[in-house]
Amino acid sequence: MDVNDLDPRTMDAERFRELLAGADPAADLAPVSPEAFARLVALASTEQLRAVGAAPALRTRLLDEIVGRMVTQLRPERAAAVTAVVHWRIGDRPDGGVDEYQLVIADGTCTASRGADREPRVSLQVGFVPFLRLVSGNGSAAMMFMTGKLSVRGDLAFAAGLLDLFDIPRPPSG
């Protein structure tokens, strides 16, 4: 079964979590394109996405994959003159903690790592579900900021244009 044929609306939260965890061998998500992932997030309910975030190993694997892909989704032409360290703090972990990731953008390139060991130009704190919606093109950073779902510390002007430095997937319409 092709992941593009899957519809999260036809399954409960547990089945959706199992699908993403790889319990269904026909639904390996490693080769899934950013656009296909964006479609899954667009169709998934908040309850389904929370179930994914509540499974520690799956949550870590998914966040590592997403943040790791940011490296290849950087638009070098837009980031050529940018030097910045960005910290992502993704909350709603089952143990009450946050997952921290660091992006270092310099000279049109980007590196990503788990943890945060450098002084950030901007630090973004967001819950797990809003993070998935944001990085998959299914949510608005401005709206999340205004409603308190996204907290920003540091250079607000830089933060406002941060996502424009990346090729954010868009789910197919319809």
Side-chain angles (χ1 to χ4, degrees), residues 41 130 132-144 163 168 170:
V41 171
L132 293 182
R133 298 221 191 272
L134 185 64
V135 299
S136 65
N138 289 291
S140 161
M143 186 61 70
M144 287 181 190
L163 292 180
I168 303 295
R170 301 284 181 240

Side-chain angles (χ1 to χ4, degrees), residues 126-127 129-135 138-151:
V126 63
V129 173
F131 176 76
L132 293 182
R133 298 221 191 272
L134 185 64
V135 299
N138 289 291
S140 161
M143 186 61 70
M144 287 181 190
F145 180 76
M146 291 189 309
T147 59
K149 292 179 181 176
L150 173 67
S151 157

Side-chain angles (χ1 to χ4, degrees), residues 70-71 74-76 79-80 82-84 103-111 166:
M70 288 181 178
V71 170
L74 183 76
R75 296 170 135 177
V82 174
T83 300
L103 298 177
V104 178
I105 303 168
D107 303 318
T109 64
C110 179
T111 59
F166 296 89

Side-chain angles (χ1 to χ4, degrees), residues 1-7 11 15-32 37 40 58 61:
M1 174 182 283
D2 185 333
V3 73
N4 291 307
D5 296 331
L6 298 175
D7 186 347
M11 59 191 81
R15 177 69 182 125
F16 184 70
R17 185 200 57 75
E18 288 173 358
L19 169 74
L20 291 181
D24 183 349
D28 178 17
L29 294 179
V32 174
F37 179 74
L40 283 175
L58 174 58
R61 192 175 82 197

Side-chain angles (χ1 to χ4, degrees), residues 42-127:
L43 296 176
S45 69
T46 298
E47 178 186 359
Q48 288 170 316
L49 296 174
R50 281 187 186 138
V52 170
L58 174 58
R59 175 190 172 101
T60 298
R61 192 175 82 197
L62 186 59
L63 290 175
D64 285 353
E65 181 70 25
I66 291 168
V67 174
R69 285 185 183 194
M70 288 181 178
V71 170
T72 61
Q73 290 177 258
L74 183 76
R75 296 170 135 177
E77 71 283 0
R78 290 191 178 186
V82 174
T83 300
V85 174
V86 177
H87 288 176
W88 285 99
R89 295 177 43 84
I90 304 154
D92 303 327
R93 222 168 54 187
D95 66 3
V98 296
D99 292 291
E100 290 187 291
Y101 290 87
Q102 178 173 269
L103 298 177
V104 178
I105 303 168
D107 303 318
T109 64
C110 179
T111 59
S113 60
R114 195 180 310 161
D117 65 354
R118 297 178 60 181
E119 186 67 28
R121 180 169 177 182
V122 68
S123 180
L124 306 158
Q125 182 149 343
V126 63

